[in-house]
């Protein structure tokens, strides 16, 4: 994150943003932001007044005052554009890199006669077959139809560890721009030029092409309405002032309008939205739209697969259970002996559990032991010590049969204890030493650490979690309880997932889910937020509105936090922008009328030096607060898991009250500085 911040504020990025901010002064571009368009119009009028102070029939304010107003207004608009351009900068830099990758890639097209022809990747069409050898870049999105290879996806995901992909199954899709690290594959191209994942990624990471979300459009409309109301107020002040015998200077009216309309949030609104999508990209999640990010902040229900999401997906030893007449120490020691030469994940977990229970070993003690590897035929593994003692672990029926053939007795409680493990969703492994069965090892799919706390955090936000699993109800209930899941769907089939999503949506809830297989595609498309794994099928990725480039399903929890942070940041800065108008009222309004209405001097709470310095101080503060808040807009307001009421109260306290106090202090300091020069 620190490295990301350094890139954002690099000289090259800032320099490019400063230039882009000038280009954005084009009125056609500014029309997308009504608030800042009004400020730009005021800037043009102030420039005309600076050239000819008597243009509108009065020149009392003087050319110097009008020039000062012009420059402050110009920098107000420029700072707003700079915030947006800076937010877009990182995406544009990333897009440039991706474009270079795309334009430089060649492909070995398989022709009808089976020969290979080198063509540019941009010439490939959907349905073409290409062969990619080790060291070559995959030219476009596709499905592997032949071969098996190790794929280096670091160009897309940032991760250096390659992944194995092969024809058939849920892990046959490949992404353009990634590299074949070993072996070879034949790919059927699944995207026409301009429609590939790389093309979509280029378009999406560029902030300039980001579409506004419904929430942002609503806020833009609100700000435009507020601006129009204040514009009407300012226009009606002119005849009122004439009636009172007060002559209002045009530059002062412009300054008042700019200070009254919500210029702070108007200048930062686009930057907040672009930065929100960029924060998702920093987590290696590609959002297909800003709407998906924002929807993540409003979801009510999370639907998650069990395996790989809530659990590791690997069976690990959790308990050693002795049978009648055997001590806990005996079964623990024998389980360790059977596993010291077992390099499988299950074997290592057994040794680690035994070590936690106080067992230790020296590899030299087992150097002469004969290793028995697991096979599908024997369904057992273990070692035979130099003296001939065979120590085995494996399926209960296999170990029981081997012990019976050796003339040993079968413990009466073996089947009962094995059944308890099986009913809980675990896998029982029997352990024998010679002709004796010592007990059982309980293997189970372990819940990932920290998930219970994260699910509790989601619950405090009002988000309900639902686990989908093919396990039986008893196993599902056990995992759900251990993980802190609110509800579960056991023995779930693909159609059960989409039915669950529809039920939630019919009750007015927003739903998010994760998936990676073709059978998950309908549910991913149905969900309001669908997060597909990059390692999954093309169908899943096309159906989802977010793609996790790291293929880490638990990252959906982080996406939720980013979505909420986006909404909170926008709300916090809107609150600040509107509330700081109060200080500007007390700075400008008394200054405008104090010469003919001395009674208004009592409203000069800040004790500002003169009418002209008061107006300029408010205007300068209005301009400089935008760049000062750019880091907040880019980084986002820190999200805390609070209820809606507490969140609103905290927002008002910090950004509402702060939005009133900060301008009072800032305007006074600027006035003191100006008074020393005026």
């Amino acid at each position: 994150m620190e490295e990301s911040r350094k890139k954002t504020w690099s000289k090259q990025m800032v320099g490019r943003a400063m230039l882009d901010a000038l280009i954005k002064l084009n009125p056609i571009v500014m029309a997308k932001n009504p608030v800042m368009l009004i400020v730009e119009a005021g800037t043009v009028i102030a420039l005309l007044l600076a050239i000819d102070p008597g243009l509108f029939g009065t020149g009392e304010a003087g050319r110097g005052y009008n020039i000062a107003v012009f420059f402050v207004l110009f920098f107000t608009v420029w700072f707003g554009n700079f915030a947006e351009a800076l937010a877009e900068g990182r995406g544009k830099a990333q897009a440039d890199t991706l474009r270079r990758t795309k334009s430089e890639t060649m492909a070995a097209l398989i022709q009808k006669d089976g020969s290979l022809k080198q063509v540019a990747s941009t010439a490939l069409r959907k349905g073409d077959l290409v062969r990619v050898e080790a060291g070559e870049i995959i030219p476009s999105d596709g499905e592997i139809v032949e071969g098996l290879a190790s794929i280096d996806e670091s160009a897309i995901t940032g991760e250096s560890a390659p992944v194995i992909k092969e024809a058939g199954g849920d892990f046959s899709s490949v992404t353009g721009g990634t590299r074949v690290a070993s072996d070879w594959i034949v790919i059927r191209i699944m995207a026409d030029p301009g429609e590939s994942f790389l093309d979509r990624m280029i378009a999406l990471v560029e902030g300039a092409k980001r579409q506004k979300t419904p929430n942002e459009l609503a806020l833009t409309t609100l700000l435009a309405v507020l601006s129009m109301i204040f514009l009407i107020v300012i226009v009606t002040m002119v005849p009122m002032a004439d009636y009172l015998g007060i002559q209002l200077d045009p530059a002062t009216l412009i300054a008042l309008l700019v200070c009254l309309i919500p210029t702070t949030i108007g200048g930062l609104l686009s930057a907040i939205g672009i930065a929100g999508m960029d924060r998702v990209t920093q987590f290696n999640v590609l959002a297909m739209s800003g709407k998906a990010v924002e929807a993540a902040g409003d979801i009510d229900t999370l639907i998650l697969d069990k395996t790989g999401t809530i659990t590791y997906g690997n069976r690990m030893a959790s308990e050693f259970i002795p049978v009648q007449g055997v001590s806990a120490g005996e079964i623990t020691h024998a389980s360790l002996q059977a596993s010291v030469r077992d390099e499988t994940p299950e074997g290592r977990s057994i040794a680690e559990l035994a070590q936690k229970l106080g067992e230790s070993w020296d590899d030299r003690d087992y150097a002469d032991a004969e290793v028995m590897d697991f096979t599908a035929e024997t369904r057992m593994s273990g070692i035979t010590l130099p003296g001939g003692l065979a120590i085995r672990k494996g399926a209960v029926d296999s170990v029981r049969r081997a012990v019976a053939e050796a003339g040993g007795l079968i413990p009466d409680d073996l089947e009962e204890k094995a059944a308890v493990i099986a009913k809980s969703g675990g896998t029982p492994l029997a352990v024998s030493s010679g002709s004796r069965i010592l007990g059982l090892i309980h293997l189970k799919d372990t819940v990932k650490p920290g998930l219970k706390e994260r699910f509790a955090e989601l619950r405090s936000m009002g988000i309900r979690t639902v686990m989908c699993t093919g396990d039986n109800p008893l196993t599902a209930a056990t995992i759900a309880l251990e993980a802190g899941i609110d509800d579960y769907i056991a023995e779930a089939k693909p159609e059960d997932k989409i039915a669950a999503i529809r039920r939630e949506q019919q009750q007015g809830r927003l739903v998010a889910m994760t998936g990676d297989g073709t059978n998950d595609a309908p549910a991913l498309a149905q969900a309001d937020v669908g997060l597909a794994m990059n390692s999954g099928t093309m169908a899943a990725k096309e159906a989802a509105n977010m793609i996790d480039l790291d293929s880490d399903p638990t990252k959906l929890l982080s996406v939720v936090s980013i979505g909420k942070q986006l909404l909170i940041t926008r709300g916090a800065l809107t609150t600040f922008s509107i509330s700081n108008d109060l200080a500007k009222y007390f700075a400008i309004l008394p200054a405008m009328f104090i010469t003919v209405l001395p009674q208004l001097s009592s409203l000069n709470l800040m004790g500002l030096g003169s009418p002209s310095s008061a107006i300029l101080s408010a205007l300068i503060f209005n301009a400089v607060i935008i760049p000062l808040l750019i880091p907040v807009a880019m980084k986002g307001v820190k999200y805390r898991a609070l209820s809606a009421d507490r969140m609103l109260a905290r927002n008002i306290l910090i950004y509402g009250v702060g939005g009133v106090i900060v301008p009072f202090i800032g305007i006074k300091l600027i006035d003191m500085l100006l008074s020393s020069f005026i």
Side-chain angles (χ1 to χ4, degrees):
M1 194 62 72
E2 181 67 28
E3 182 66 24
S4 176
R5 184 160 55 248
K6 288 179 180 178
K7 289 181 180 179
T8 301
W9 295 100
S10 67
K11 290 182 179 179
Q12 183 179 1
M13 197 78 75
V14 171
R16 180 173 178 174
M18 292 173 71
L19 179 61
D20 287 346
L22 291 174
I23 297 173
K24 288 176 180 288
L25 292 173
N26 184 337
I28 297 176
V29 177
M30 295 297 297
K32 298 176 182 178
N33 191 334
V35 175
M36 300 310 289
L37 181 62
I38 292 175
V39 179
E40 185 173 47
T43 305
V44 173
I45 296 173
L47 175 61
L48 296 175
L49 289 170
I51 298 171
D52 181 6
L55 183 63
F56 296 103
T58 176
E60 291 186 3
R63 180 174 279 107
Y65 174 79
N66 292 337
I67 291 174
V69 170
F70 161 72
F71 276 109
V72 175
L73 290 179
F74 173 79
F75 282 109
T76 301
V77 180
W78 184 83
F79 283 144
N81 288 345
F82 175 73
E84 182 177 3
L86 191 63
E88 293 172 355
R90 185 160 38 217
K92 289 182 177 179
Q94 187 179 358
D96 289 343
T97 301
L98 294 173
R99 281 195 186 93
R100 285 195 297 271
T101 299
K102 184 172 180 291
S103 63
E104 295 169 2
T105 302
M106 298 295 291
L109 176 66
I110 300 177
Q111 302 189 90
K112 291 182 179 180
D113 60 0
S115 62
L116 299 179
K117 179 182 179 182
Q118 290 293 321
V119 299
S121 63
T122 52
L124 296 174
R125 295 294 182 269
K126 191 173 183 178
D128 286 346
L129 294 178
V130 297
R131 181 184 174 98
V132 189
E133 303 278 354
E136 295 178 349
I137 293 176
I138 294 172
S140 185
D141 299 352
E143 297 276 357
I144 300 175
V145 295
E146 185 181 349
L148 175 150
S150 175
I151 310 296
D152 177 6
E153 298 185 326
S154 58
I156 301 295
T157 67
E159 298 294 329
S160 57
V163 294
I164 303 297
K165 298 206 174 184
E166 59 183 325
D170 285 346
F171 298 97
S172 60
S173 71
V174 290
T175 304
T178 58
R179 185 184 299 272
V180 174
S182 66
D183 302 294
W184 59 270
I185 49 176
V186 174
I187 301 168
R188 177 179 288 110
I189 302 301
M190 301 299 290
D192 283 323
E195 298 177 356
S196 70
F197 179 80
L198 202 59
D199 290 309
R200 283 183 289 161
M201 190 170 181
I202 290 170
L204 290 166
V205 297
E206 289 188 308
K209 296 185 179 181
R210 181 191 62 89
Q211 292 185 341
K212 289 186 176 181
T213 66
N215 182 283
E216 190 175 350
L217 287 171
L219 184 55
T220 301
T221 302
L222 173 63
L223 297 181
V225 170
L226 287 175
S227 299
M228 290 303 298
I229 291 173
F230 284 121
L231 180 60
I232 293 171
V233 169
I234 297 302
V235 170
T236 56
M237 285 182 67
V238 176
M240 291 176 60
D242 288 341
Y243 178 77
L244 295 172
I246 303 171
Q247 189 173 34
L248 296 177
D249 190 83
T252 299
L253 287 172
I254 294 171
L256 177 61
L257 175 62
V258 170
C259 286
L260 290 182
I261 62 177
T263 50
T264 304
I265 186 62
L268 296 172
L269 185 58
S270 293
I272 294 170
I274 295 169
M277 285 191 68
D278 183 65
R279 280 194 292 276
V280 175
T281 305
Q282 290 175 40
F283 278 82
N284 264 1
V285 174
L286 184 63
M288 298 305 178
S289 68
K291 182 179 179 181
V293 180
E294 216 165 79
D298 278 333
I299 67 167
D300 305 290
T301 305
L302 270 178
I303 295 181
L304 309 100
D305 283 329
K306 185 202 78 171
T307 305
T309 303
I310 296 171
T311 64
Y312 282 108
N314 294 323
R315 300 179 306 166
M316 301 178 70
S318 64
E319 186 182 9
F320 299 125
I321 304 173
V323 293
Q324 188 175 5
V326 177
S327 68
E330 283 183 276
I331 177 64
T332 301
H333 184 66
S335 299
L336 172 63
Q337 289 182 306
S339 305
V340 289
R341 303 285 291 277
D342 185 351
E343 293 302 320
T344 65
E346 291 88 351
R348 289 195 297 270
S349 73
I350 292 169
E352 289 171 3
L353 179 59
Q355 190 173 23
K356 289 179 182 177
L357 295 174
E359 289 286 336
S360 60
W361 74 94
D362 190 328
D363 289 335
R364 290 174 296 182
D365 296 338
Y366 300 97
D368 298 326
E370 181 183 346
V371 179
M372 176 186 177
D373 293 323
F374 178 89
T375 65
E377 183 180 353
T378 64
R379 298 171 65 206
M380 293 189 298
S381 65
I383 61 171
T384 301
L385 298 177
L389 180 63
I391 303 171
R392 303 284 186 262
K393 70 176 189 295
V396 175
D397 58 339
S398 298
V399 173
R400 184 180 59 216
R401 185 168 52 251
V403 168
E405 291 173 355
L409 298 177
I410 307 302
D412 295 335
D413 57 345
L414 177 66
E415 293 298 332
E416 179 184 352
K417 291 183 176 180
V420 170
I421 294 174
K423 287 180 180 178
S424 70
T427 301
L429 293 183
V431 179
S432 66
S433 177
S435 59
R436 293 176 63 213
I437 293 181
L438 303 180
L440 299 162
I441 302 171
H442 182 177
L443 295 180
K444 69 175 184 178
D445 195 356
T446 306
V447 173
K448 294 180 179 179
L451 277 187
K452 193 165 189 175
E453 292 74 17
R454 298 186 77 179
F455 288 141
E457 183 179 342
L458 290 173
R459 193 175 299 110
S460 69
M461 304 176 200
I463 298 175
R464 178 169 164 266
T465 52
V466 180
M467 177 183 73
C468 284
T469 176
D471 291 332
N472 62 65
L474 181 59
T475 302
T478 302
I479 296 293
L481 180 63
E482 187 176 347
I485 293 289
D486 296 317
D487 199 0
Y488 61 88
I489 301 173
E491 300 175 343
K493 299 182 289 294
E495 54 267 28
D496 295 328
K497 296 178 183 179
I498 193 169
I501 293 172
R502 285 174 176 166
R503 280 196 302 272
E504 295 289 325
Q505 290 173 331
Q506 287 168 2
Q507 297 174 29
R509 301 188 182 106
L510 291 180
V511 183
M513 81 155 289
T514 63
D516 58 4
T518 299
N519 59 357
D520 290 324
L524 287 167
Q526 180 68 37
D528 299 284
V529 177
L531 181 66
M533 304 298 101
N534 192 42
S535 60
T537 63
M538 196 65 65
K541 289 190 280 188
E542 289 178 350
N545 51 23
M546 286 189 184
I547 298 174
D548 177 15
L549 303 179
D550 296 331
S551 300
D552 175 10
T554 59
K555 200 179 290 182
L556 183 57
L557 305 179
S558 299
V559 173
V560 170
S561 296
I562 293 171
K564 287 189 176 293
Q565 185 185 43
L566 174 61
L567 295 172
I568 291 169
T569 302
R570 190 175 293 145
L573 293 184
T574 300
T575 302
F576 182 89
S577 178
I578 294 175
S579 62
N580 69 20
D581 283 346
L582 183 61
K584 299 170 193 173
Y585 298 156
F586 284 101
I588 296 181
L589 290 176
M592 289 178 63
F593 299 102
I594 199 169
T595 54
V596 293
L597 296 173
Q599 298 89 340
L600 291 179
S601 60
S602 59
L603 296 179
N604 187 14
L605 302 180
M606 288 177 273
L608 302 178
S610 66
S612 59
S613 71
I615 293 169
L616 284 176
S617 297
L619 200 59
I620 291 172
F621 174 84
N622 194 67
V624 300
I625 197 63
I626 294 177
L628 291 177
L629 289 176
I630 287 177
V632 179
M634 297 285 285
K635 185 178 180 181
V637 174
K638 185 176 181 180
Y639 172 70
R640 291 177 173 82
L642 301 173
S643 65
D645 291 343
R646 290 184 62 192
M647 201 179 301
L648 178 62
R650 184 175 181 275
N651 231 17
I652 292 175
L653 179 63
I654 296 178
Y655 294 95
V657 176
V660 174
I661 295 174
V662 171
F664 271 92
I665 298 173
I667 291 172
K668 178 60 179 177
L669 291 175
I670 295 171
D671 176 74
M672 292 171 62
L673 185 63
L674 289 178
S675 297
S676 63
F677 292 101
I678 297 177

